[in-house]
């Protein structure tokens, strides 16, 4: 009997988690869909294969023979640009559509890059992906997914305001909260850039492609 209670409790907890984090789970699934599409379509189209090759070449070259501070600054600015784009999209009526599309595209590029490493460099590519590429990109991907959730949510509020036939909603407080959240995402982005610089400066030179 106690065992059954534990099972019901766990089921309730999972259900509550899904209910409370519906947007976050949806955005994460969109990102995963993008990865799957990237991996699946990599060898189906030569243009995509060339894009993946150029992307990884730029990724490696931008972190080779570059100082720690140079990598950190470049990584931070690049991540901030992506966050700023999500912020702008979320503050518009079109964010409901464009933010999910941006997340799928981000996952798509991630899938293409992973497929290229595996296809072009075999075990060396697997090692590079596991030791360098995934650790460098993982933290920012988490930040991107969470920020995309906030962008979609705020864009939905704007949509409801525009389409509402009743008393207009005041979004001033929600917009301030939206800005504060993105400022916190920027702070975590700095952590992501530091991880990028540390890994690139210490490990990437151990691989030659």
């Amino acid at each position: 009997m106690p065992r059954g209670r534990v099972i019901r409790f766990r089921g309730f907890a999972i259900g509550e988690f899904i209910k409370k984090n519906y947007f976050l789970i949806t955005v994460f699934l969109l990102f995963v869909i993008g990865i799957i599409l990237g991996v699946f379509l990599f060898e189906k189209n030569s243009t995509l294969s060339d894009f993946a090759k150029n992307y990884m070449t730029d990724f490696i070259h931008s972190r080779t023979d570059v100082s720690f501070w140079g990598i950190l600054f470049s990584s931070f600015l690049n991540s901030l640009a992506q966050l700023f784009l999500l912020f702008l999209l979320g503050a518009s009526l079109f964010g409901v559509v464009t933010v999910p599309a941006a997340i799928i595209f981000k996952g798509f590029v991630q899938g293409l890059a992973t497929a290229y490493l595996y296809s072009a460099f075999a075990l060396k590519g697997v090692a590079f992906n596991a030791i360098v590429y995934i650790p460098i990109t993982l933290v920012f991907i988490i930040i991107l997914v969470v920020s995309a959730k906030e962008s979609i949510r705020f864009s939905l509020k704007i949509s409801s305001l525009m389409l509402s036939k009743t008393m207009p909603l005041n979004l001033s407080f929600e917009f301030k909260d939206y800005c504060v959240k993105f400022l916190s995402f920027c702070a975590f982005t700095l952590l992501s850039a530091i991880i990028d610089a540390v890994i690139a400066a210490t490990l990437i030179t151990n691989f030659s492609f």
Side-chain angles (χ1 to χ4, degrees):
M1 189 68 176
R3 179 181 175 82
R5 288 179 182 174
V6 172
I7 292 174
R8 285 198 297 272
F9 174 76
R10 287 177 178 174
F12 174 77
I14 293 172
E16 284 295 305
F17 176 81
I18 293 174
K19 184 178 179 180
K20 291 180 179 179
N21 297 277
Y22 173 78
F23 275 115
L24 185 63
I25 294 171
T26 301
V27 174
F28 175 74
L29 289 177
L30 290 174
F31 182 77
V32 172
I33 289 171
I35 292 176
I36 294 172
L37 288 174
V39 171
F40 180 75
L41 295 176
F42 171 73
E43 293 185 345
K44 305 287 184 181
N45 189 301
S46 59
T47 302
L48 293 178
S49 300
D50 292 339
F51 171 82
K53 179 181 179 180
N54 293 333
Y55 172 80
M56 285 310 305
T57 299
D58 291 341
F59 179 89
I60 294 170
H61 284 175
S62 65
R63 291 164 174 81
T64 304
D65 298 326
V66 181
S67 69
F68 172 88
W69 295 107
I71 297 171
L72 190 152
F73 186 71
S74 175
S75 177
F76 185 58
L77 284 185
N78 180 57
S79 298
L80 278 184
Q82 296 180 60
L83 277 182
F84 185 64
L85 176 61
L86 284 184
F87 175 84
L88 291 179
L89 293 176
S92 73
L93 187 66
F94 308 105
V96 178
V97 176
T98 54
V99 173
I103 290 299
I104 292 175
F105 178 75
K106 183 68 176 180
F108 184 71
V109 172
Q110 198 83 2
L112 286 176
T114 300
Y116 170 74
L117 288 171
Y118 290 170
S119 174
F121 306 109
L123 289 178
K124 185 187 289 186
V126 173
F128 183 86
N129 194 50
I131 298 172
V132 177
Y133 186 64
I134 291 178
I136 281 178
T137 58
L138 181 60
V139 174
F140 183 66
I141 286 171
I142 295 172
I143 297 169
L144 208 64
V145 168
V146 176
S147 60
K149 177 204 72 171
E150 295 300 331
S151 294
I152 295 171
R153 179 173 291 174
F154 191 72
S155 183
L156 283 172
K157 289 181 180 179
I158 295 175
S159 300
S160 65
L161 175 64
M162 298 293 291
L163 301 175
S164 177
K165 296 180 181 180
T166 58
M167 181 75 69
L169 299 173
N170 187 347
L171 292 180
S172 59
F173 176 79
E174 286 82 357
F175 182 69
K176 289 179 183 177
D177 184 59
Y178 181 66
C179 292
V180 169
K181 286 178 179 178
F182 265 83
L183 285 175
S184 66
F185 297 150
C186 291
F188 283 107
T189 297
L190 179 59
L191 173 62
S192 171
I194 292 172
I195 294 172
D196 185 347
V198 169
I199 293 175
T202 57
L203 297 176
I204 205 167
T205 53
N206 295 322
F207 294 87
S208 58
F209 296 107

